[in-house]
Each structure stands twice: as structure tokens, then as C-alpha cells.
């Protein structure tokens, strides 16, 4: 299937949509059940993807129990194994025989690899439907100043089958910045890009977050051309899509573009969508390990942000 349209919608519009499948991730963060608790998609077939991890086990069990009480079927997956999520999409593909199918995906607590794999799977799988609409919902979280000392566990292509660098052109790195400057520095050292563009997240509900990102990345920002520093509103994914697409399409004329989608997940989702439309644009990620985060670093802070993404079969275009 081909990606046909992207637009941001008011979350209240979900009350009027006929949702066939609802996929959510259950973790230890309290926002993991926020969207499902709003009562959307009451007639949908519901799947809860839970992490095969043991930290904060009491909170994980509580949230899984809450999802189960709301009618979600449990589906276990590892954060670093996209094939498990791909199997879920394949089973949904096999279940549906309608001409049009709608999914609601709450990616608030999903690892980037999971929702990137959902997108990849939708484009590759042979749906009976001629049109697939996915409402990607993200619940912002409250910023926590707690500094975490994490060790880099993996640094490289996000999806191994498509994101390896070919080195046919100079590399242009598009870095979505967050508070993990060490990770960004390591990736720059590994890729040795000829050009760096930095995307700085802002959040009108949480200005402290932007100040923290600027402070933690001041060493990098001092050496980047000001024309290559772009501020974006994390709660406006349609605007992010416009800015990121424009910049990457300019860069790809003379460079091999690699996006590092750190920061708010809205930026990561848009990066994955861009890579679907332009497969020569690569996604690289940094996975860290360390002390489990404070459970309070994950409380909902504002209403869900919903991006409507439409896919059509090639003959329908």
C-alpha cells in the first residue's frame, strides 16, 4: 500500500469514527492507559502490546489489568524485536475483509521501532482493503528534570533491512534533539556527517523541556550554522511533517540523509512516515540501558495529539 495523506485531527473526532482495531502499548508510565480510558473505539477489536521486561513490575501488572478490564487482548513483545509487532499487523490483515479499514494506534509508550514496524508492515502486507486509515495518537508526558546516567546499548540503523547507509554521497544528519547529548555525540562520531541539521522541540504546555534541551546540547548548537537549527512545536505533527519534509528533500539532492529521531515521539512518528515515502532517507536510533526511569516521568500532560494517516492500494490512487 502507498501512503496517500497525512493530517492532524482533533482527538474528539475519534468519537465519530468507526474504528475497527485499537492497538495500545502498556508500560509502567501512567499515561499508557490515558487514551483508552477516554472511551474511544468502543466497538473495535482491541490489542494491548505489553513489554517483555521486569522493571516496575507492579505498575506494569496494574496497567495490563486495566487494559484487560477494558476489553484488550494481551500481546507480548520485546522492545528490540520488530517481527513480533509485524506478526500482530499480519493477523489484523488476515482478520479484515472490508474495503476500508480503520485503526487507532496509541504510540505514547511504544518504542520507536514498534511504530516504525507498524508502518512498514502496513505498506508491505496484502490487506483485502483498498484503503487503510490509521489514527496515531500521542499523549504528551510531564517533563521530569531527573538526570539519568544511561549506557549506549545500540547505535545504528532502526530497521536493518532498509536503513543501512550506502555511502554513495556525503551524509547529512538530521538530528531530533533531546536531553541525551552523549548519544547524539556518539552518533555524530560514528557517521561523520558532512552536514548537521538540528531540530529543537518546543512544547507550549511544558516550556521547561525546551530550556533543558537547549542547555544540554549547547556544545553542539554552538558549532551548527544557525540556518540549520530549526524549532518545532511537538504538539503539531502536521507542521513537523511540513518542516521536516522540506528540509530533507532539499538535503537529499546532494546528500545521503540520515534522521536521528530523538525527542518527543511526534517527531519520531513523522520521521518514520517520511522514510516510508522516501526510502532513501534512513532512520538511525540510539538505544540506552540504565536505571529504570521514575514512574512519575510519564504522567499525562495535556490532551492526546492525533495524526490521521491514510494508505491506499496502488490501483486506487
Amino acid at each position: 500500500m502507498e501512503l496517500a495523506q497525512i493530517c492532524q485531527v482533533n482527538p474528539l473526532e475519534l468519537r465519530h469514527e468507526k474504528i475497527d482495531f485499537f492497538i495500545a502499548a502498556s508500560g509502567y508510565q501512567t499515561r499508557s492507559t490515558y487514551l483508552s480510558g477516554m472511551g474511544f473505539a468502543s466497538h473495535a477489536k482491541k490489542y494491548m502490546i505489553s513489554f517483555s521486561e521486569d522493571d516496575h513490575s507492579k505498575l506494569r501488572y496494574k496497567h495490563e489489568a486495566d487494559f484487560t478490564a477494558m476489553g484488550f487482548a494481551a500481546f507480548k513483545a520485546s522492545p528490540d524485536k520488530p517481527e513480533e509487532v509485524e506478526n500482530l499487523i499480519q493477523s489484523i490483515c488476515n482478520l479484515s475483509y472490508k474495503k476500508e479499514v480503520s485503526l487507532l494506534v496509541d504510540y505514547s509508550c511504544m518504542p520507536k521501532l514498534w511504530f516504525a514496524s507498524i508502518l512498514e508492515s502496513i505498506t508491505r502486507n496484502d490487506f483485502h482493503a483498498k484503503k487503510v486509515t490509521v489514527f496515531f495518537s500521542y499523549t504528551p508526558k510531564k517533563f521530569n528534570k531527573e538526570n539519568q546516567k544511561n549506557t549506549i546499548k545500540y547505535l545504528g540503523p532502526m530497521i536493518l533491512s532498509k536503513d543501512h547507509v550506502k555511502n554513495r554521497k556525503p551524509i547529512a544528519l538530521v538530528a531530533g534533539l533531546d536531553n541525551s547529548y552523549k548519544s547524539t555525540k556518539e552518533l555524530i562520531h560514528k557517521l561523520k556527517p558532512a552536514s548537521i541539521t538540528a531540530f529543537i522541540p518546543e512544547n507550549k504546555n511544558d516550556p521547561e523541556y525546551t530550556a533543558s534541551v537547549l542547555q544540554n546540547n549547547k556544545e553542539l548548537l554552538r558549532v551548527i550554522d544557525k540556518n540549520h537549527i530549526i524549532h518545532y512545536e511537538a504538539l503539531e505533527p502536521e507542521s513537523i511533517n511540513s518542516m521536516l519534509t522540506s528540509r530533507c528533500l532539499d538535503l537529499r539532492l546532494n546528500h545521503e540523509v540520515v534522521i536521528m529521531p530523538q525527542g518527543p515521539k511526534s517527531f519520531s512518528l513523522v520521521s518514520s512516515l517520511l522514510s516510508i515515502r522516501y526510502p532513501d532517507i534512513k532512520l538511525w536510533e540510539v538505544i540506552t540501558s540504565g536505571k529504570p526511569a521514575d514512574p512519575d516521568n510519564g504522567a499525562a500532560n495535556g490532551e492526546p495529539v492525533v495524526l490521521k494517516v491514510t494508505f491506499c492500494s496502488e490501483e486506487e490512487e
Side-chain angles (χ1 to χ4, degrees), residues 69-130:
M70 288 185 282
F72 283 77
F75 190 92
K76 283 279 185 184
S78 300
D80 56 353
K81 291 186 178 179
E83 60 271 18
E84 295 174 336
V85 177
E86 290 170 5
N87 291 338
L88 174 58
I89 297 300
Q90 182 62 58
S91 67
I92 289 174
C93 173
N94 293 336
L95 280 171
S96 177
Y97 291 90
K98 296 170 62 177
K99 289 185 178 179
E100 295 188 10
V101 176
S102 292
L103 291 83
L104 173 58
V105 176
D106 184 357
Y107 68 103
S108 306
C109 294
M110 287 186 181
K112 293 186 284 287
L113 186 57
W114 282 7
F115 55 81
S117 298
I118 288 173
L119 287 168
E120 285 285 321
S121 299
I122 289 173
T123 58
R124 289 198 318 268
N125 276 303
D126 186 20
F127 277 84
H128 297 283
K130 302 298 182 185

Side-chain angles (χ1 to χ4, degrees), residues 26 39 51 59-60 80 91 106 108 111 119 137 140 153 156 164 167 169 187 191 201-202 222 238-239 251 307:
S26 177
F51 292 75
L59 286 167
R60 292 185 187 279
D80 56 353
S91 67
D106 184 357
S108 306
L119 287 168
S137 179
K153 182 178 170 184
H164 280 285
N167 290 313
K169 299 178 182 178
L187 187 135
L191 283 177
E202 296 187 355
R222 272 199 297 263
E238 190 171 3
S239 175
L251 288 169
L307 194 66

Side-chain angles (χ1 to χ4, degrees), residues 60-239:
R60 292 185 187 279
Y61 292 150
K62 178 188 181 302
H63 295 149
E64 287 174 15
D66 290 342
F67 273 112
T68 300
M70 288 185 282
F72 283 77
F75 190 92
K76 283 279 185 184
S78 300
D80 56 353
K81 291 186 178 179
E83 60 271 18
E84 295 174 336
V85 177
E86 290 170 5
N87 291 338
L88 174 58
I89 297 300
Q90 182 62 58
S91 67
I92 289 174
C93 173
N94 293 336
L95 280 171
S96 177
Y97 291 90
K98 296 170 62 177
K99 289 185 178 179
E100 295 188 10
V101 176
S102 292
L103 291 83
L104 173 58
V105 176
D106 184 357
Y107 68 103
S108 306
C109 294
M110 287 186 181
K112 293 186 284 287
L113 186 57
W114 282 7
F115 55 81
S117 298
I118 288 173
L119 287 168
E120 285 285 321
S121 299
I122 289 173
T123 58
R124 289 198 318 268
N125 276 303
D126 186 20
F127 277 84
H128 297 283
K130 302 298 182 185
K131 180 180 178 182
V132 177
T133 300
V134 188
F135 295 92
F136 283 99
S137 179
Y138 166 70
T139 302
K141 68 177 181 179
K142 186 177 181 180
F143 172 56
N144 190 315
K145 288 184 178 180
E146 180 185 74
N147 290 323
Q148 293 184 42
K149 294 181 180 180
N150 292 322
T151 302
I152 294 175
K153 182 178 170 184
Y154 172 79
L155 191 158
M158 183 177 294
I159 296 179
L160 294 176
S161 61
K162 64 177 281 294
D163 287 327
H164 280 285
V165 174
K166 295 180 179 178
N167 290 313
R168 292 175 181 169
K169 299 178 182 178
I171 292 173
L173 174 63
V174 177
L177 300 186
D178 64 358
N179 285 309
S180 305
Y181 174 58
K182 178 183 175 183
S183 301
T184 306
K185 191 174 180 180
E186 287 293 325
L187 187 135
I188 291 170
H189 177 73
K190 185 169 183 175
L191 283 177
K192 296 178 173 56
S195 166
I196 301 175
T197 300
F199 273 74
I200 310 291
E202 296 187 355
N203 184 333
K204 56 192 174 188
N205 293 342
D206 206 345
E208 269 191 294
Y209 177 63
T210 303
S212 177
V213 171
L214 289 170
Q215 175 63 26
N216 282 309
N217 290 277
K218 61 183 180 181
E219 182 181 332
L220 172 63
L221 295 173
R222 272 199 297 263
V223 299
I224 297 180
D225 187 302
K226 290 183 179 179
N227 293 322
H228 288 211
I229 298 174
I230 301 169
H231 290 254
Y232 70 91
E233 172 52 62
L235 305 183
E236 297 177 3
E238 190 171 3
S239 175

Side-chain angles (χ1 to χ4, degrees), residues 238-301:
E238 190 171 3
S239 175
I240 298 171
N241 180 58
S242 177
M243 289 189 287
L244 186 62
T245 300
S246 175
R247 183 56 60 115
C248 287
L249 292 190
D250 284 344
L251 288 169
R252 75 197 277 262
L253 294 174
N254 298 307
H255 296 82
E256 186 167 11
V257 179
V258 176
I259 304 176
M260 182 188 71
Q262 300 283 81
K265 289 211 173 84
S266 52
F267 184 86
S268 300
L269 175 67
V270 169
S271 299
S272 294
L273 289 166
L274 185 60
S275 184
I276 290 289
R277 287 154 60 202
Y278 303 98
D280 60 314
I281 294 176
K282 311 301 183 183
L283 300 180
W284 275 42
E285 71 167 339
V286 181
I287 300 174
T288 59
S289 61
K291 176 186 173 184
D294 184 335
D296 289 334
N297 184 11
N301 185 33

